[in-house]
Amino acid sequence: KQEVTQIPAALSVPEGENLVLNCSFTDSAIYNLQWFRQDPGKGLTSLLLIQSSQREQTSGRLNASLDKSSGRSTLYIAASQPGDSATYLCAVPSGNTPLVFGKGTRLSVIA
Amino acid sequence: NAGVTQTPKFRVLKTGQSMTLLCAQDMNHEYMYWYRQDPGMGLRLIHYSVGEGTTAKGEVPDGYNVSRLKKQNFLLGLESAAPSQTSVYFCASSYLQGETEAFFGQGTRLTVV
């Protein structure tokens, strides 16, 4: 059974700092890995999708990496802003199983 | 460009009452999913559908039923609501399962008293 773990559970940083969020998964037989953002009381917004054949995917100040063999992904946020404050979730499909989610990292960027 | 739309957004039910949550997507996606999100538990899959007329159980299916009579709609039913079903429910869809991006609705906050 696929299990997804996100560390840390919560993170508070000053504005302007670069930061890394971590995601690990137990079954490396994945098609891809997806990072989402969730604002309080809102739905999930897709940030980045990395295919299993890719090592990195970039969107603006966000960079996601994937090391499938070690079961790890990182989300790098450059020059953090207060508007980046949210919960970040990673999720992987595995075989016939739809997305399995980690419990998320709650990020607070302090102005 | 609606994407995934959930109805209703909020609902309060009494124990034993029934209700149906509606999910509609306008992206012609084959796959649709229902998740529930609870504090400390994360998102857990309730049921999913791989196409019109098909449904399958997820991780926490007990107490729920689903139907996919039309490709664009996926209904989640609670026949006899229980306080343990108090949660935020999210619907999602994707073109292919596991190979393409999944898109989520804004959620339905359900309270069972």
Side-chain angles (χ1 to χ4, degrees), chain B residues 9-49:
Chain B
K9 291 183 171 51
F10 303 94
R11 185 71 184 270
V12 178
L13 282 180
K14 293 183 179 179
T15 298
Q17 285 186 320
S18 63
M19 77 164 295
T20 300
L21 283 67
L22 172 63
C23 177
Q25 53 92 6
D26 62 0
M27 296 173 282
N28 200 34
H29 285 171
E30 290 293 334
Y31 295 85
M32 297 187 75
Y33 320 98
W34 277 106
Y35 287 87
R36 60 179 289 173
Q37 186 176 38
D38 303 289
M41 301 296 291
L43 282 144
R44 293 178 293 169
L45 182 68
I46 305 171
H47 286 282
Y48 64 102
S49 169

Side-chain angles (χ1 to χ4, degrees), chain A residues 1 31-32 34 36 38 41-44 46 49 51 89 93 95-103, chain B residues 33 35 37 40-45 48 59 90 97-107 109:
Chain A
K1 178 185 172 185
Y31 294 116
N32 56 50
Q34 197 166 355
F36 294 88
Q38 185 177 29
K42 303 294 185 182
L44 281 69
S46 179
L49 174 74
Q51 298 293 349
L89 298 155
N96 291 323
T97 306
L99 291 174
V100 178
F101 283 84
K103 293 183 180 179
Chain B
Y33 320 98
Y35 287 87
Q37 186 176 38
M41 301 296 291
L43 282 144
R44 293 178 293 169
L45 182 68
Y48 64 102
E59 181 183 357
F90 288 101
Q97 179 171 289
E99 298 170 45
T100 58
E101 195 174 6
F103 296 88
F104 279 74
Q106 288 301 299
R109 186 173 296 275

Side-chain angles (χ1 to χ4, degrees), chain B residues 36 44-48 56-66 76-77 85:
Chain B
R36 60 179 289 173
R44 293 178 293 169
L45 182 68
I46 305 171
H47 286 282
Y48 64 102
K57 294 180 180 179
E59 181 183 357
V60 288
D62 293 343
Y64 305 96
N65 56 76
V66 288
L76 178 70
Q85 294 177 304

